[in-house]
Amino acid sequence: AVIDAVNTAAAAALVEIIDQIANNAATPVEVTIAQLDAVAERVNPALIAEYQNALTAANPSGFADVANPTVAEIQAVIDAVNTAAAAALVEIIDQIANNAATPAEVTVAQLDAVAESVNPALIAEYQNALTAAATASPAMFADVANPTVAEIQAVIDAVNTAAAAALVEIIDQIANNAATPAEVTATQLDAVAERVNPALIAEYQNALTAAATASPAVFADVANPTVAEIQAVIDAVNTAAAAALVEI
């Protein structure tokens, strides 16, 4: 009876997983932990987004029969994700441990292997936040030497939330200051960009206003400049300031 119950649950879960794979060729497969647990072992709830992405990537070429992936093939995807996440976590932990005084030089690929919602444009902010989380007092990681996938995700989410809030403020300032410098702050810029020099805040404000009002506009969508576009403005100001300083 126990064997039959397991088989029934696995068969039902496999039907749902196959349906999700078939209907989500262009987007992550929305399988659940419960469904994966019914057909595979070593399923880590913290990696559900990575499993979803990997199952989508495996469709169609990763399965012998795309319409009917087997339990073994599903398990192979789970194992591949777990292996990649474990390797990435080792690298991330090593970077955090060896960069107490400087930003942890983790990569987007490493973070993508263990976390979701990773924005490549915010890699510097993630690096700074991971270092800060490890060196905070009290530390934000239960075990500083071994932060978990969930703790890494929490750092990513915090950076994303701060960046989104700052971007709203920056966009609002740009939109409402067409005739005068956008009164963004160094803190707001730090949340979405790197290499922000507080001493150049007035230059950043002027440049952001100019970028939004230029013809043609520097921003693809003036009402919604991206993190990358904000960074480009910061970099341009920094480059001009450095060149001017040389002349002086």
Side-chain angles (χ1 to χ4, degrees):
V2 173
I3 300 299
D4 290 341
V6 170
N7 289 345
T8 299
L14 197 56
V15 167
E16 293 296 326
I17 293 170
I18 291 171
D19 179 68
Q20 283 294 330
I21 292 172
N23 291 299
N24 290 278
T27 56
V29 179
E30 294 182 356
V31 296
T32 66
I33 291 297
Q35 290 166 346
L36 292 177
D37 266 334
V39 298
E41 52 184 310
R42 299 180 293 281
V43 175
N44 181 348
L47 294 175
I48 184 60
E50 286 69 32
Y51 297 142
Q52 292 170 338
N53 289 329
L55 286 166
T56 302
N59 175 20
S61 61
F63 303 134
D65 180 354
V66 178
N68 290 288
T70 64
V71 168
E73 289 173 328
I74 300 296
Q75 184 65 62
V77 171
I78 299 300
D79 289 342
V81 168
N82 290 349
T83 298
L89 198 56
V90 167
E91 292 297 326
I92 292 169
I93 290 171
D94 180 68
Q95 282 295 329
I96 292 172
N98 291 301
N99 289 279
T102 58
E105 295 181 356
V106 296
T107 67
V108 170
Q110 290 166 347
L111 292 177
D112 265 335
V114 300
E116 55 184 310
S117 306
V118 175
N119 182 348
L122 294 175
I123 185 61
E125 286 68 33
Y126 298 141
Q127 293 171 336
N128 289 329
L130 286 167
T131 301
T135 56
S137 182
M140 294 174 64
F141 301 143
D143 180 353
V144 177
N146 290 288
T148 65
V149 167
E151 289 173 328
I152 299 296
Q153 183 66 62
V155 172
I156 299 299
D157 290 342
V159 168
N160 289 349
T161 298
L167 198 56
V168 167
E169 293 296 327
I170 292 169
I171 290 171
D172 180 69
Q173 283 295 329
I174 292 172
N176 291 301
N177 289 277
T180 57
E183 295 182 355
V184 296
T185 67
T187 300
Q188 290 167 344
L189 292 176
D190 265 332
V192 299
E194 54 184 309
R195 298 181 293 280
V196 175
N197 182 349
L200 294 175
I201 188 62
E203 285 71 23
Y204 298 142
Q205 293 170 339
N206 289 329
L208 286 167
T209 301
T213 56
S215 181
V218 174
F219 302 142
D221 180 354
V222 177
N224 290 287
T226 66
V227 168
E229 289 173 329
I230 299 296
Q231 183 66 61
V233 171
I234 299 299
D235 289 341
V237 169
N238 289 350
T239 299
L245 201 57
V246 169
E247 292 300 321
I248 294 171

